[in-house]
């Protein structure tokens, strides 16, 4: 099996160590062998990004548009193949994998356009005869560190704006999903982008992350991942005054009021809590339900969960693929025990299930009789596990929804305009959904949260520019 190498200074670079990328739907299936970068590789990648930075910053917007547009075009043309690779290495269903790959293509197309829309401002000065120009300039070499659960879309929504606004990139994807990262790099490498502008280093975060965070030539770090790693990124960057952006965990509430469309509420809950095997930072892990509809909602949700097909991510008809790996599966099982010990009732699911091929299959779990004091409702599990919390009215629902250290996404199911308006206003989350799942977002509008979920400017859409540019104010005496 050929090894997929790192990409540094325009060359594919081999390494002493490789890892096997394992298919979580069938652990006998090896997706590929991937080179592991060491600290010397990271240094070479930073050297390359630093050296290429001035010319790329001065490159014309047409050149940057053409590169990003070409990348987007190729991803879209190959979205079935890229989506299949993604589902095979990560375990989300084929429809989800193909959808995510297509999304990555759309993101590159969007940011191709953004290169042409990097407008500045022109103001009169308070001093007669002077003019003031405000422009947006590149930040410099940027480190991009990403998680395994959206292995092509998250890299795309960081890499595309970084390149669009004239920054160079050192990209470190998650250890678990190097396949999608490598395939994306291969496309970027053939897009006409100059050498050194974009570099890929694959390997363990603890080993190769630190030199990326601590090198003074890396002017900004865009990170998505767990809250604990986010703290390490924040500590290292703030110590040397580098810019950083963190997207981390969630414990997202879906409020279900008694005036909702019950079918839609159940669909929102199933989609939000269990699709992508619950491995989404925007997953609805807390279902906050008004008393008078509680029994009907729980019964309908449990019935719907019984009908979910758990199986091979690539098989037709699968609703829920496997958990991404043994570590995540162990974590899910541990939290199910914690929930039981805390006094929550496990109504259905949670157990490991066997399929034809060996994989990390788990039945989605639903806890009832829970409250926010329980760890299962306070800590991010990141698996197919949801809890129901009973509340007496919208006042209590609002309090419960906001009673969390996180603030990424929040949803409400209601037919009341008044309740929807109040929820949109009073929710402390960065993204609020009415009669729609907490997960599932558009790419042309801001993405991000509040409190412990996010730090720094928003990602995606036009707002991405705030992180990937620095503002210059120029005065000219006529
Ligand atoms: P993780 O924190 O373990 O890893 C994320 C990335 O950080 C990986 O590339 C990893 O190698 C790297 N890393 C680890 N230690 C490092 C260090 N010391 N220095 C530098 N880099 C290091 O997270 P994960 O398990 O890959 O992803 C799951 C987490 O991601 C969940 O908490 C989830 O909520 C979060 N997530 C958040 C969003 C969002 O937008 N808010 C989106 C997707 C996932």
């Amino acid at each position: 099996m050929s090894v997929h190498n790192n990409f540094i200074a325009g060359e594919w670079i081999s390494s002493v160590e490789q890892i096997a990328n394992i298919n979580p739907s069938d652990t006998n299936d090896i997706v590929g062998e991937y080179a592991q970068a060491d600290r010397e590789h990271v240094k070479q990648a930073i050297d390359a990004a630093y050296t290429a930075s001035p010319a790329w910053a001065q490159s014309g917007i047409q050149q940057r548009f053409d590169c990003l547009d070409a990348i987007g075009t190729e991803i879209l043309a190959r979205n079935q193949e890229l989506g299949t690779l993604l589902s095979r290495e990560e375990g989300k269903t084929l429809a989800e994998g193909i959808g995510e790959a297509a999304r990555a293509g759309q993101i590159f197309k969007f940011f191709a356009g953004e290169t042409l829309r990097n407008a500045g401002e022109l103001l009169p000065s308070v001093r007669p005869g002077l003019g003031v120009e405000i422009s947006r300039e590149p930040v410099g070499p940027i480190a991009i560190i990403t998680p395994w659960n959206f292995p092509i879309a998250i890299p795309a929504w960081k890499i595309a704006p970084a390149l669009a606004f004239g920054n160079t990139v050192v990209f470190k994807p998650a250890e678990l999903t190097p396949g999608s990262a490598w395939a994306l790099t291969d496309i970027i490498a053939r897009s006409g982008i100059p050498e050194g502008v974009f570099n890929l280093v694959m390997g363990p975060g603890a080993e190769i992350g630190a030199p990326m965070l601590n090198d003074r030539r890396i002017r900004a770090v865009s990170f998505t991942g767990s809250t604990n790693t986010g703290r390490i990124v924040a500590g290292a960057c703030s110590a040397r005054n580098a810019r950083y952006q963190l997207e981390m965990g969630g414990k997202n509430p879906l409020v279900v009021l008694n005036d909702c469309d019950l079918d839609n509420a159940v669909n929102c809950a199933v989609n939000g809590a269990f699709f992508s095997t619950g491995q989404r930072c925007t997953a609805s892990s807390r279902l906050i339900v008004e008393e008078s509809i509680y029994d009907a909602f729980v019964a309908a949700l449990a019935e719907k969960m019984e009908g979910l097909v758990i199986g091979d991510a690539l098989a037709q008809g699968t609703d829920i693929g496997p958990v991404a790996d043994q570590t995540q599966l162990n974590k899910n099982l541990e939290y199910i025990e914690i929930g039981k010990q805390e006094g929550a009732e496990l109504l259905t699911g949670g157990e490991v299930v066997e399929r034809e091929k060996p994989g990390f299959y788990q039945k989605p779990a639903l806890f009832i009789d829970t409250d926010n004091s329980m760890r299962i409702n306070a800590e991010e599990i990141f698996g197919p596990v949801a809890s129901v919390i009973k509340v007496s009215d919208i006042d209590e629902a609002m309090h419960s929804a906001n009673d969390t250290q996180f603030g990424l996404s929040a949803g409400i199911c209601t037919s009341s305009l008044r309740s929807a308006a109040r929820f949109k206003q009073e929710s402390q989350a960065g993204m609020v959904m009415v009669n729609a799942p907490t997960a599932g977002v558009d790419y042309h509008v801001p993405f991000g949260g509040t409190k412990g979920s996010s730090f720094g400017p928003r990602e995606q859409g036009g707002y991405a520019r705030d992180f990937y540019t620095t503002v210059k104010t120029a005065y000219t005496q006529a």
Side-chain angles (χ1 to χ4, degrees):
M1 195 175 274
S2 68
V3 176
H4 298 80
N5 286 327
N6 291 299
F7 186 67
I8 299 168
E11 306 277 347
W12 293 102
I13 304 291
S14 62
S15 63
V16 179
E17 267 189 73
Q18 293 95 35
I19 55 155
N21 184 359
I22 309 270
N23 176 352
S25 300
D26 173 4
T27 52
N28 290 326
D29 175 33
I30 294 179
V31 180
E33 297 283 341
Y34 291 83
Q36 297 293 282
D38 57 26
R39 284 172 178 245
E40 181 55 30
H41 291 125
V42 175
K43 185 184 167 297
Q44 288 164 6
I46 296 173
D47 288 346
Y50 185 71
T51 306
S53 180
W56 185 243
Q58 294 302 319
S59 61
I61 54 174
Q62 187 64 48
Q63 182 185 3
R64 303 211 290 259
F65 174 93
D66 290 343
C67 290
L68 291 175
D69 191 54
I71 297 165
T73 300
E74 181 168 344
I75 295 172
L76 288 171
R78 292 174 52 200
N79 69 49
Q80 305 275 330
E81 174 209 336
L82 293 167
T84 305
L85 169 66
L86 195 168
S87 295
R88 192 169 155 218
E89 73 169 347
E90 198 268 354
K92 62 180 65 174
T93 66
L94 192 54
E96 290 170 330
I98 292 169
E100 185 184 331
R103 171 57 57 96
Q106 292 164 331
I107 289 167
F108 272 95
K109 291 280 185 184
F110 176 85
F111 283 105
E114 288 295 276
T115 60
L116 309 181
R117 290 189 286 262
N118 190 16
E121 290 175 68
L122 186 60
L123 278 83
S125 166
V126 293
R127 288 169 283 167
L130 272 175
V132 187
E133 295 153 48
I134 302 167
S135 59
R136 299 276 193 153
E137 303 198 338
V139 178
I142 296 184
I144 289 177
I145 303 177
T146 57
W148 48 263
N149 66 325
F150 282 94
I152 197 163
I154 292 178
W157 81 52
K158 294 178 188 296
I159 294 165
L163 296 177
F165 295 115
N167 305 286
T168 56
V169 170
V170 179
F171 169 39
K172 198 213 87 62
E175 294 90 311
L176 211 51
T177 51
S180 299
W182 189 93
L184 176 61
T185 300
D186 175 50
I187 293 171
I188 295 172
R190 288 183 286 96
S191 67
I193 215 148
E195 73 175 45
V197 169
F198 179 82
N199 305 274
L200 168 74
V201 284
M202 299 177 283
E207 173 63 20
I208 64 169
M212 296 172 72
L213 303 180
N214 293 324
D215 194 305
R216 63 169 184 80
R217 296 169 300 171
I218 292 290
R219 291 310 316 144
V221 179
S222 181
F223 167 83
T224 299
S226 62
T227 306
N228 284 344
T229 314
R231 281 199 195 102
I232 295 173
V233 174
C237 291
S238 58
R240 61 181 185 85
N241 283 333
R243 178 183 291 221
Y244 61 98
Q245 173 183 57
L246 312 174
E247 290 296 346
M248 301 168 290
K251 200 70 204 175
N252 309 292
L254 176 71
V255 169
V256 178
L257 296 185
N258 61 15
D259 59 12
C260 73
D261 171 334
L262 185 60
D263 279 351
N264 182 54
V266 169
N267 287 337
C268 286
V270 168
N271 176 321
F274 305 124
F275 283 10
S276 298
T277 323
Q279 299 170 154
R280 292 190 285 192
C281 51
T282 49
S284 318
S285 46
R286 295 183 300 137
L287 309 171
I288 300 169
V289 185
E290 213 173 351
E291 212 163 23
S292 51
I293 201 174
Y294 185 88
D295 291 341
F297 174 81
V298 168
L301 177 57
E303 191 188 327
K304 188 109 187 167
M305 287 172 66
E306 284 309 312
L308 293 173
V309 178
I310 302 142
D312 188 322
L314 298 178
Q316 285 291 329
T318 295
D319 295 311
I320 312 285
V323 172
D325 72 348
Q326 187 67 52
T327 308
Q328 184 61 52
L329 180 59
N330 291 345
K331 187 178 168 199
N332 300 347
L333 294 171
E334 198 181 314
Y335 270 106
I336 284 168
E337 283 312 308
I338 291 170
K340 287 186 201 162
Q341 280 162 19
E342 288 177 313
E345 182 188 337
L346 181 63
L347 185 68
T348 178
E351 67 271 27
V352 169
V353 287
E354 292 203 350
R355 290 294 175 262
E356 202 185 320
K357 293 171 186 154
F360 307 114
Y361 298 104
Q362 183 180 26
K363 221 172 151 197
L366 187 66
F367 278 112
I368 57 170
D369 289 342
T370 76
D371 61 55
N372 282 337
S373 71
M374 296 176 174
R375 281 181 63 193
I376 53 166
N377 283 335
E379 298 167 16
E380 185 185 51
I381 301 173
F382 216 56
V385 184
S387 307
V388 192
I389 301 169
K390 192 189 282 183
V391 291
S392 52
D393 55 22
I394 188 173
D395 291 333
E396 198 184 339
M398 277 313 324
H399 179 267
S400 179
N402 287 333
D403 179 21
T404 166
Q405 59 172 319
F406 297 108
L408 191 57
S409 178
I412 188 167
C413 291
T414 178
S415 56
S416 157
L417 192 55
R418 184 192 293 262
S419 298
R422 175 173 173 191
F423 190 77
K424 283 188 278 185
Q425 245 171 35
E426 294 182 17
S427 168
Q428 293 171 358
M431 296 176 291
V432 184
M433 319 289 183
V434 177
N435 295 322
T438 56
V441 296
D442 286 3
Y443 62 90
H444 65 305
V445 291
F447 177 97
T450 61
K451 302 198 276 189
S453 290
S454 303
F455 182 86
R458 288 284 184 263
E459 300 204 83
Q460 303 203 57
Y463 283 66
R465 189 168 79 138
D466 288 346
F467 183 74
Y468 293 101
T469 60
T470 180
V471 172
K472 177 167 284 174
T473 314
Y475 295 86
T476 306
Q477 177 74 58

